[in-house]
Amino acid sequence: MPEHFEAGPTPEDKKRILKERAAKLARAPEKEGAAGSLEILEITLAGERYGLESLYVREVYPLKSFTPVPCTPAFVLGVVNIRGQILPVIDIGKFFDLPHRELTELSRVVVLRSGAAEFGLLADEVTGVRLVAPGEIQASLHAVTGIRAEYLKGVTGDSLAVLDAVRILADKALVIDEEVAG
Amino acid sequence: MTREEEFLERLRATFRVEAGEILSSISAGLIELEKRPSPARQAELLEVVYRSAHSLKGAARAVSLNAIEALCQAMENIFSALKRGEAQASPAVFDSLHAAADLIRPLALAPAGALQPEEQTKIQAMENRLADAVSGKPQREPPPPAAAPDVPPEVPFPVPRETAAASAGSGGIHAETVRIPMSKLDALVLKAEELISAKLSARLRAAEMRKLKAIFGAWAAQWDKAAPALRKAARGIEAGGRTASGEGAGAAPGRPGDFFEWNSRFAKSLEERLDAMKRAAEEDSRSTGGMVDDLLGDIKEVMMLPFSSALETFPRLVRDIAREQGKLADLTIEGGEIEIDKRVLQLIKDPLSHLVRNCIDHGLETPESRRGKGKPEKGSLKIAVSQIDSGRVEVLVSDDGKGIDAGQVKASAVKYGILSGEEAGALSDRDAIDLIFKSGVSTSPLITELSGRGLGLAIVRENAEKLGGTAAVETSAGGTLFRLVLPLSIATFRGITLEAGGRAFIVPTKNVAKIISVSKDAIKSVENRETILFNSRAVSLARLADVLELPAAAGAGEGGSLSVMLLGADGGYMAFVIDRVLAEDEVLFKNLGRQFARVRNIAGATVVGSGLVVPILNVADLMKSARKYSVAAAARPAAEAGRPELQKQSVLVVEDSITARTLMVNILESAGYGVVSAVDGVDGLVKFGGGDFDIIVTDIAMPNMNGFDLTAKIREGKKRPDIPIVIVTGLESPEDKRRGIEAGASAYIVKSSFDQSNLLEVIKRLI
């Protein structure tokens, strides 16, 4: 039935189809860069990958030199000078009792900030940034890592443990406030 | 984040700033209104707070914060009823209004998000309270006409008022100003301060050039001396070996005599260039130094804020504390317009509020007792700021209360082991009063959450001294006067860089009495402590690396003599063995940041010329640590030089709420205490009988037996009636506190201010 073929879709149909297609195409990117997807900074601690919400990461700074501060707990690496600001650096691996790693050229200070709380976390390496849909982070039922569940925000589909930056920043155990007993 | 969301977020940021300002203006207005100024002034103030509430309502609506909008509406209703004279401005109404402002503040500052159910309940309750505040009291009494006609209609707190007036658009001259977030200025200041290291390294380069020039000069002098003889010898060689030369290296001086002349000319030109470079380096150092100093000076100007900006919350603070204690107090502020470095203000704000708390808590008497003494019922507090010279201000905080009892201070100091009985006896009253600045001394018989923990005043002096200022107190039966002298801006100080345990540290030069070399034989051992003689007095000696808990550096202590630094603070002296002294330089004090609120023995840090961070030592702490260390060192093997372990002390927690109980147990366990918990007073008493505890922490409201009864039972009992008991409670009233004292509690902490540092601090103080 050649007539039928020649007739094809009517102009109205064509318009409708094109519109539908356009709508589909237009929606796609919206879905991806979508509202609410989380940007996660991937770091390495004691050979394992962890994530940190980049919302709370002020900057990442190569650990060039640091000054140890005496009379502080072992999890305090020391202080660094970042553009004139003196910033404490916490060896979070040591705080979590993870196996010790030597400092290397890849060692990074991840400066976390939320409200007034601000300090650097020592990471063995920073491997990159990726986007994660918020639904993808699930509370882990059993500990997948050596880090206590209270410090974890959750675990992604490919079992990347995302640290709870807000919880860590607010943790009083990481605040040094000691007086010499009279 | 979509564009709309981004926009809304930006809008909210703006709103947060605005809301903060409006709320401050409302608070200031309420405080002044409550003082009942003249009717004209009252009308004016009502208009301002009414308009402020109205603007905040509009702003809240714009960022769809409906809860704030509703609260503002309710406040606005009250203000408008007051304006029409349809409601009476009773203290209860003011309480409700203040409470509403307090509720709005966190709501306004919180990041966007849905409200928690408990927040919603609170907001609903507040709306009802505000509605009742006017409708529930239908007495149509107009605001009392000039209840206190002698109160001048002047505004005691000029600055908040000025900003309030400006934001309410009541006219006034607007200078050309820009609004810049403080965070941006802070970054600018940090960068400018970093230039100090550029200045220091330029100075270092110039000094090196001078040294090089001097070295060259020394060589040139030798050369000049030897030159005639050498010239002669060269000519001689030339004459003798004429046949051997001939085809030299073209332009290069082939013959010894020529080479000699060329060499002289070369050295001469080298010297000239060296000299020119030296002068250029000196010039650079001077101009860089000048520019940096200039820039820092201007930056300091920018950082100057009126003193009153730190005192905005004080009238409210005074009102609240006084009400809580059943006292009456009036605060006046003088010299609030004096401008001072924001960083000085930041460091001194908390100490000041502590002083004010202290004045109300310990200084002012109750209205009855004041009446008895023939004083006005209302106590008066005063903060007076004045500039004493181009670089310093004096802040006087005074009250007209009962003064400080030197005998009580001595008794407290003896009780906490700060002084022995004989020492206390020998102390003059003046020196005894000064003891209140030592941590651990408090004249308050009961520890409350306000003050009297014996730490506050120590922090006042510490912060003042950290800034290079002083803190002192004068007292008489007619009141107490605290005198703070503060620098107008953060200045650099002279510091000596030294090495101990192989690491660099800085001590303020003012704390260094002397640096000496001591022969090892000169060290004497007295009662397990090492001492050396200085000015024919025995001074205790400690190794700085040990005190700082550093591993002993390799090679330390070799050789026959030691470098010893004699350090002084609080009138005492102590000698410390160091590796060596490195330099003395200008030092800019920097904090270690919020995370390191207080580190033992370390006051702060500075950035040196090379960009490295060097810790600044806290000399007062060092001396305290050294005293402890020299005793401890004798008692324990040298190998375990780690931090002294917290002895496992045992706490009994009595609390019926499982949440509160779990929280407390957690806090205490993570602080290293052994904890046993009980679910009510009866259970607590049973567990107390069956265990061995160092301290008891108890709630008040509990089934079966409450905290007061438990405390009383233990105090009456046979087993350890003296055990410290801390009452932690949600109740906050003077009566409860009094009941707590009567029952025999050692400390009383209100849950609203219940954070772990508070509890831990109190426990640490009591056991």
Side-chain angles (χ1 to χ4, degrees), chain B residues 186-237:
Chain B
D186 286 342
L188 212 57
V189 172
L190 286 176
K191 281 171 200 155
E193 282 175 355
E194 230 187 349
L195 287 176
I196 290 182
S197 58
K199 168 182 151 184
L200 292 178
S201 58
R203 196 186 286 168
L204 207 65
R205 285 300 96 73
E208 275 165 9
M209 285 307 296
R210 263 197 300 277
K211 215 185 270 170
L212 208 56
K213 172 86 198 309
I215 293 170
F216 191 86
W219 172 83
Q222 290 299 319
W223 173 252
D224 284 350
K225 253 191 252 166
L230 286 171
R231 182 175 287 127
K232 223 173 167 186
R235 295 282 175 225
I237 294 166

Short mmCIF file of all heavy atoms in Angstrom, two decimals, chain B residues 186-237:
data_model
loop_
_atom_site.label_atom_id
_atom_site.label_comp_id
_atom_site.label_asym_id
_atom_site.label_seq_id
_atom_site.Cartn_x
_atom_site.Cartn_y
_atom_site.Cartn_z
N ASP B 186 39.07 39.49 57.33
CA ASP B 186 39.96 38.61 58.07
C ASP B 186 41.03 38.04 57.14
O ASP B 186 42.20 37.97 57.48
CB ASP B 186 39.18 37.47 58.73
CG ASP B 186 38.39 37.97 59.93
OD1 ASP B 186 38.72 39.06 60.43
OD2 ASP B 186 37.46 37.28 60.35
N ALA B 187 40.59 37.62 55.95
CA ALA B 187 41.52 37.05 54.99
C ALA B 187 42.57 38.09 54.60
O ALA B 187 43.76 37.80 54.48
CB ALA B 187 40.77 36.56 53.76
N LEU B 188 42.10 39.31 54.43
CA LEU B 188 42.99 40.40 54.04
C LEU B 188 44.03 40.66 55.13
O LEU B 188 45.21 40.86 54.87
CB LEU B 188 42.13 41.66 53.86
CG LEU B 188 42.59 42.66 52.82
CD1 LEU B 188 42.71 42.00 51.49
CD2 LEU B 188 41.60 43.82 52.77
N VAL B 189 43.56 40.62 56.37
CA VAL B 189 44.46 40.85 57.49
C VAL B 189 45.53 39.76 57.54
O VAL B 189 46.72 40.04 57.71
CB VAL B 189 43.67 40.85 58.83
CG1 VAL B 189 44.62 40.90 60.00
CG2 VAL B 189 42.74 42.04 58.86
N LEU B 190 45.09 38.51 57.37
CA LEU B 190 46.05 37.41 57.41
C LEU B 190 47.12 37.59 56.35
O LEU B 190 48.31 37.39 56.59
CB LEU B 190 45.32 36.08 57.18
CG LEU B 190 44.50 35.60 58.36
CD1 LEU B 190 43.73 34.33 58.00
CD2 LEU B 190 45.39 35.33 59.56
N LYS B 191 46.69 38.00 55.15
CA LYS B 191 47.67 38.17 54.06
C LYS B 191 48.62 39.31 54.37
O LYS B 191 49.82 39.22 54.11
CB LYS B 191 46.95 38.38 52.74
CG LYS B 191 46.45 37.07 52.18
CD LYS B 191 45.55 37.26 50.99
CE LYS B 191 44.72 36.00 50.81
NZ LYS B 191 43.47 36.25 50.11
N ALA B 192 48.06 40.38 54.91
CA ALA B 192 48.92 41.51 55.24
C ALA B 192 49.92 41.11 56.32
O ALA B 192 51.10 41.46 56.26
CB ALA B 192 48.07 42.69 55.71
N GLU B 193 49.43 40.34 57.28
CA GLU B 193 50.32 39.93 58.36
C GLU B 193 51.43 39.02 57.86
O GLU B 193 52.54 39.02 58.38
CB GLU B 193 49.53 39.20 59.46
CG GLU B 193 48.78 40.15 60.35
CD GLU B 193 47.91 39.43 61.34
OE1 GLU B 193 47.83 38.18 61.27
OE2 GLU B 193 47.33 40.09 62.19
N GLU B 194 51.11 38.26 56.81
CA GLU B 194 52.12 37.36 56.30
C GLU B 194 53.29 38.15 55.71
O GLU B 194 54.40 37.63 55.61
CB GLU B 194 51.52 36.43 55.26
CG GLU B 194 51.91 35.02 55.59
CD GLU B 194 51.48 34.06 54.51
OE1 GLU B 194 50.71 34.44 53.63
OE2 GLU B 194 51.95 32.93 54.55
N LEU B 195 53.00 39.39 55.34
CA LEU B 195 54.08 40.21 54.79
C LEU B 195 55.15 40.51 55.83
O LEU B 195 56.26 40.89 55.49
CB LEU B 195 53.52 41.51 54.23
CG LEU B 195 52.74 41.34 52.92
CD1 LEU B 195 52.15 42.65 52.49
CD2 LEU B 195 53.64 40.78 51.84
N ILE B 196 54.82 40.33 57.09
CA ILE B 196 55.83 40.54 58.12
C ILE B 196 57.00 39.59 57.87
O ILE B 196 58.16 39.95 58.05
CB ILE B 196 55.25 40.29 59.53
CG1 ILE B 196 54.27 41.42 59.87
CG2 ILE B 196 56.35 40.24 60.58
CD1 ILE B 196 53.67 41.30 61.23
N SER B 197 56.70 38.38 57.42
CA SER B 197 57.80 37.46 57.16
C SER B 197 58.63 37.93 55.97
O SER B 197 59.84 37.71 55.92
CB SER B 197 57.30 36.03 56.99
OG SER B 197 56.37 35.94 55.96
N ALA B 198 57.98 38.60 55.00
CA ALA B 198 58.75 39.17 53.88
C ALA B 198 59.69 40.25 54.40
O ALA B 198 60.86 40.35 54.01
CB ALA B 198 57.80 39.75 52.83
N LYS B 199 59.16 41.03 55.33
CA LYS B 199 59.96 42.10 55.90
C LYS B 199 61.15 41.51 56.67
O LYS B 199 62.29 41.97 56.53
CB LYS B 199 59.06 42.91 56.84
CG LYS B 199 59.77 43.89 57.73
CD LYS B 199 58.76 44.57 58.64
CE LYS B 199 59.37 45.00 59.95
NZ LYS B 199 58.38 45.57 60.85
N LEU B 200 60.87 40.48 57.42
CA LEU B 200 61.95 39.86 58.21
C LEU B 200 62.99 39.22 57.30
O LEU B 200 64.19 39.30 57.56
CB LEU B 200 61.38 38.81 59.17
CG LEU B 200 60.51 39.35 60.30
CD1 LEU B 200 59.98 38.22 61.16
CD2 LEU B 200 61.30 40.33 61.16
N SER B 201 62.55 38.60 56.20
CA SER B 201 63.55 37.96 55.35
C SER B 201 64.35 39.00 54.57
O SER B 201 65.54 38.80 54.31
CB SER B 201 62.95 36.87 54.45
OG SER B 201 61.96 37.40 53.65
N ALA B 202 63.73 40.13 54.23
CA ALA B 202 64.49 41.21 53.59
C ALA B 202 65.58 41.70 54.54
O ALA B 202 66.72 41.97 54.14
CB ALA B 202 63.57 42.36 53.20
N ARG B 203 65.20 41.78 55.82
CA ARG B 203 66.17 42.25 56.81
C ARG B 203 67.32 41.24 56.92
O ARG B 203 68.49 41.60 57.03
CB ARG B 203 65.47 42.40 58.15
CG ARG B 203 66.25 43.22 59.13
CD ARG B 203 65.57 43.21 60.48
NE ARG B 203 64.37 44.04 60.51
CZ ARG B 203 63.50 43.99 61.52
NH1 ARG B 203 63.67 43.16 62.51
NH2 ARG B 203 62.45 44.78 61.52
N LEU B 204 66.96 39.96 56.85
CA LEU B 204 67.95 38.89 56.93
C LEU B 204 68.93 38.97 55.76
O LEU B 204 70.14 38.85 55.92
CB LEU B 204 67.21 37.56 56.90
CG LEU B 204 67.87 36.39 57.57
CD1 LEU B 204 67.99 36.63 59.06
CD2 LEU B 204 67.07 35.12 57.31
N ARG B 205 68.37 39.18 54.53
CA ARG B 205 69.21 39.29 53.33
C ARG B 205 70.20 40.45 53.50
O ARG B 205 71.39 40.32 53.21
CB ARG B 205 68.37 39.58 52.09
CG ARG B 205 67.57 38.46 51.49
CD ARG B 205 68.41 37.30 51.05
NE ARG B 205 68.42 36.30 52.10
CZ ARG B 205 67.38 35.52 52.39
NH1 ARG B 205 66.27 35.59 51.70
NH2 ARG B 205 67.43 34.64 53.38
N ALA B 206 69.71 41.58 53.98
CA ALA B 206 70.56 42.75 54.13
C ALA B 206 71.68 42.45 55.12
O ALA B 206 72.85 42.79 54.88
CB ALA B 206 69.74 43.94 54.61
N ALA B 207 71.32 41.74 56.18
CA ALA B 207 72.34 41.40 57.18
C ALA B 207 73.38 40.46 56.58
O ALA B 207 74.59 40.58 56.83
CB ALA B 207 71.68 40.76 58.39
N GLU B 208 72.91 39.51 55.76
CA GLU B 208 73.85 38.59 55.11
C GLU B 208 74.79 39.33 54.18
O GLU B 208 75.98 39.03 54.11
CB GLU B 208 73.08 37.52 54.34
CG GLU B 208 72.67 36.36 55.23
CD GLU B 208 71.61 35.48 54.58
OE1 GLU B 208 71.31 35.66 53.38
OE2 GLU B 208 71.07 34.63 55.31
N MET B 209 74.25 40.30 53.45
CA MET B 209 75.08 41.09 52.54
C MET B 209 76.13 41.87 53.32
O MET B 209 77.29 41.98 52.91
CB MET B 209 74.22 42.07 51.73
CG MET B 209 73.43 41.45 50.61
SD MET B 209 74.40 40.46 49.47
CE MET B 209 75.47 41.71 48.78
N ARG B 210 75.72 42.40 54.46
CA ARG B 210 76.67 43.14 55.29
C ARG B 210 77.80 42.21 55.73
O ARG B 210 78.97 42.56 55.71
CB ARG B 210 75.95 43.71 56.53
CG ARG B 210 75.52 45.15 56.37
CD ARG B 210 75.22 45.78 57.73
NE ARG B 210 74.15 45.08 58.42
CZ ARG B 210 72.86 45.30 58.20
NH1 ARG B 210 72.49 46.21 57.30
NH2 ARG B 210 71.93 44.63 58.84
N LYS B 211 77.43 41.01 56.10
CA LYS B 211 78.42 40.05 56.58
C LYS B 211 79.39 39.71 55.45
O LYS B 211 80.61 39.67 55.65
CB LYS B 211 77.69 38.77 57.06
CG LYS B 211 78.37 38.12 58.26
CD LYS B 211 77.70 36.82 58.63
CE LYS B 211 76.59 36.98 59.64
NZ LYS B 211 75.80 35.76 59.80
N LEU B 212 78.82 39.49 54.25
CA LEU B 212 79.64 39.15 53.09
C LEU B 212 80.65 40.26 52.80
O LEU B 212 81.82 40.03 52.53
CB LEU B 212 78.71 38.96 51.89
CG LEU B 212 79.16 38.02 50.79
CD1 LEU B 212 79.46 36.65 51.36
CD2 LEU B 212 78.10 37.93 49.71
N LYS B 213 80.13 41.48 52.88
CA LYS B 213 80.99 42.64 52.64
C LYS B 213 82.12 42.68 53.67
O LYS B 213 83.28 42.96 53.34
CB LYS B 213 80.11 43.91 52.72
CG LYS B 213 80.85 45.21 52.67
CD LYS B 213 81.10 45.65 51.24
CE LYS B 213 82.20 46.70 51.14
NZ LYS B 213 82.03 47.82 52.04
N ALA B 214 81.77 42.37 54.92
CA ALA B 214 82.77 42.40 55.98
C ALA B 214 83.83 41.32 55.75
O ALA B 214 85.03 41.55 55.93
CB ALA B 214 82.09 42.21 57.33
N ILE B 215 83.36 40.14 55.33
CA ILE B 215 84.30 39.06 55.06
C ILE B 215 85.26 39.46 53.94
O ILE B 215 86.47 39.29 54.01
CB ILE B 215 83.55 37.76 54.67
CG1 ILE B 215 82.77 37.24 55.87
CG2 ILE B 215 84.50 36.70 54.12
CD1 ILE B 215 81.81 36.12 55.53
N PHE B 216 84.66 40.07 52.92
CA PHE B 216 85.49 40.51 51.79
C PHE B 216 86.48 41.57 52.25
O PHE B 216 87.66 41.58 51.87
CB PHE B 216 84.60 41.05 50.68
CG PHE B 216 85.34 41.27 49.40
CD1 PHE B 216 85.51 40.23 48.49
CD2 PHE B 216 85.91 42.51 49.11
CE1 PHE B 216 86.21 40.43 47.33
CE2 PHE B 216 86.62 42.71 47.94
CZ PHE B 216 86.78 41.67 47.05
N GLY B 217 85.99 42.46 53.11
CA GLY B 217 86.83 43.53 53.64
C GLY B 217 88.03 42.96 54.37
O GLY B 217 89.17 43.45 54.23
N ALA B 218 87.79 41.89 55.15
CA ALA B 218 88.88 41.27 55.91
C ALA B 218 89.93 40.70 54.96
O ALA B 218 91.14 40.84 55.15
CB ALA B 218 88.31 40.18 56.81
N TRP B 219 89.40 40.09 53.88
CA TRP B 219 90.34 39.54 52.89
C TRP B 219 91.13 40.67 52.23
O TRP B 219 92.34 40.61 52.06
CB TRP B 219 89.57 38.74 51.83
CG TRP B 219 90.42 38.32 50.68
CD1 TRP B 219 91.24 37.24 50.61
CD2 TRP B 219 90.58 39.03 49.44
NE1 TRP B 219 91.90 37.20 49.43
CE2 TRP B 219 91.52 38.29 48.68
CE3 TRP B 219 90.04 40.21 48.90
CZ2 TRP B 219 91.92 38.69 47.40
CZ3 TRP B 219 90.44 40.59 47.64
CH2 TRP B 219 91.36 39.85 46.91
N ALA B 220 90.43 41.76 51.86
CA ALA B 220 91.06 42.87 51.16
C ALA B 220 92.17 43.48 52.01
O ALA B 220 93.24 43.85 51.49
CB ALA B 220 90.01 43.93 50.78
N ALA B 221 91.96 43.56 53.31
CA ALA B 221 92.97 44.14 54.19
C ALA B 221 94.24 43.29 54.17
O ALA B 221 95.36 43.81 54.07
CB ALA B 221 92.42 44.24 55.62
N GLN B 222 94.03 41.96 54.23
CA GLN B 222 95.18 41.04 54.17
C GLN B 222 95.91 41.20 52.84
O GLN B 222 97.12 41.23 52.76
CB GLN B 222 94.69 39.58 54.32
CG GLN B 222 94.20 39.23 55.70
CD GLN B 222 95.27 39.40 56.75
OE1 GLN B 222 96.44 39.03 56.53
NE2 GLN B 222 94.93 39.98 57.89
N TRP B 223 95.10 41.26 51.81
CA TRP B 223 95.63 41.37 50.46
C TRP B 223 96.48 42.64 50.31
O TRP B 223 97.58 42.60 49.77
CB TRP B 223 94.49 41.36 49.46
CG TRP B 223 94.87 41.62 48.02
CD1 TRP B 223 94.63 42.74 47.30
CD2 TRP B 223 95.60 40.74 47.16
NE1 TRP B 223 95.14 42.63 46.04
CE2 TRP B 223 95.74 41.40 45.93
CE3 TRP B 223 96.13 39.44 47.31
CZ2 TRP B 223 96.40 40.81 44.83
CZ3 TRP B 223 96.77 38.87 46.22
CH2 TRP B 223 96.91 39.55 45.01
N ASP B 224 95.94 43.76 50.81
CA ASP B 224 96.65 45.03 50.71
C ASP B 224 98.01 44.93 51.40
O ASP B 224 99.00 45.50 50.94
CB ASP B 224 95.83 46.16 51.34
CG ASP B 224 94.69 46.60 50.41
OD1 ASP B 224 94.68 46.14 49.24
OD2 ASP B 224 93.81 47.35 50.86
N LYS B 225 98.01 44.21 52.53
CA LYS B 225 99.26 44.07 53.27
C LYS B 225 100.28 43.27 52.46
O LYS B 225 101.45 43.62 52.38
CB LYS B 225 99.01 43.32 54.60
CG LYS B 225 99.08 44.26 55.81
CD LYS B 225 99.10 43.45 57.09
CE LYS B 225 97.78 43.58 57.83
NZ LYS B 225 97.63 42.58 58.88
N ALA B 226 99.80 42.20 51.85
CA ALA B 226 100.72 41.29 51.14
C ALA B 226 101.07 41.78 49.73
O ALA B 226 102.05 41.35 49.14
CB ALA B 226 100.10 39.89 51.08
N ALA B 227 100.26 42.72 49.23
CA ALA B 227 100.38 43.08 47.81
C ALA B 227 101.76 43.58 47.37
O ALA B 227 102.30 43.09 46.36
CB ALA B 227 99.29 44.10 47.46
N PRO B 228 102.38 44.53 48.11
CA PRO B 228 103.67 45.04 47.62
C PRO B 228 104.70 43.93 47.42
O PRO B 228 105.35 43.86 46.37
CB PRO B 228 104.10 45.99 48.75
CG PRO B 228 102.84 46.37 49.44
CD PRO B 228 101.95 45.19 49.32
N ALA B 229 104.78 43.03 48.42
CA ALA B 229 105.76 41.95 48.33
C ALA B 229 105.43 41.03 47.16
O ALA B 229 106.31 40.63 46.38
CB ALA B 229 105.76 41.16 49.65
N LEU B 230 104.11 40.73 47.04
CA LEU B 230 103.70 39.82 45.97
C LEU B 230 103.97 40.42 44.60
O LEU B 230 104.39 39.74 43.67
CB LEU B 230 102.21 39.51 46.09
CG LEU B 230 101.83 38.56 47.23
CD1 LEU B 230 100.32 38.49 47.40
CD2 LEU B 230 102.38 37.15 46.96
N ARG B 231 103.70 41.76 44.52
CA ARG B 231 103.93 42.44 43.23
C ARG B 231 105.39 42.31 42.82
O ARG B 231 105.69 41.98 41.68
CB ARG B 231 103.52 43.90 43.33
CG ARG B 231 103.68 44.67 42.02
CD ARG B 231 103.16 46.09 42.12
NE ARG B 231 101.70 46.15 42.15
CZ ARG B 231 100.99 46.78 43.07
NH1 ARG B 231 101.62 47.39 44.07
NH2 ARG B 231 99.69 46.81 43.02
N LYS B 232 106.23 42.54 43.80
CA LYS B 232 107.67 42.46 43.56
C LYS B 232 108.07 41.07 43.09
O LYS B 232 108.76 40.88 42.10
CB LYS B 232 108.43 42.77 44.87
CG LYS B 232 109.62 43.68 44.69
CD LYS B 232 110.14 44.03 46.06
CE LYS B 232 111.52 44.66 46.00
NZ LYS B 232 112.02 44.85 47.36
N ALA B 233 107.54 40.07 43.80
CA ALA B 233 107.86 38.69 43.47
C ALA B 233 107.39 38.37 42.06
O ALA B 233 108.09 37.73 41.28
CB ALA B 233 107.18 37.76 44.48
N ALA B 234 106.18 38.88 41.73
CA ALA B 234 105.65 38.59 40.40
C ALA B 234 106.55 39.18 39.31
O ALA B 234 106.83 38.55 38.29
CB ALA B 234 104.24 39.18 40.28
N ARG B 235 106.98 40.43 39.57
CA ARG B 235 107.87 41.06 38.60
C ARG B 235 109.15 40.24 38.45
O ARG B 235 109.67 40.06 37.35
CB ARG B 235 108.25 42.48 39.07
CG ARG B 235 107.08 43.44 39.10
CD ARG B 235 106.70 43.96 37.71
NE ARG B 235 105.51 44.77 37.79
CZ ARG B 235 104.49 44.67 36.93
NH1 ARG B 235 104.51 43.78 35.95
NH2 ARG B 235 103.45 45.46 37.05
N GLY B 236 109.66 39.75 39.61
CA GLY B 236 110.88 38.95 39.60
C GLY B 236 110.73 37.72 38.73
O GLY B 236 111.58 37.42 37.89
N ILE B 237 109.56 37.01 38.92
CA ILE B 237 109.33 35.80 38.12
C ILE B 237 109.31 36.16 36.65
O ILE B 237 109.89 35.52 35.80
CB ILE B 237 107.98 35.15 38.51
CG1 ILE B 237 108.04 34.62 39.94
CG2 ILE B 237 107.60 34.03 37.55
CD1 ILE B 237 106.70 34.27 40.53
#
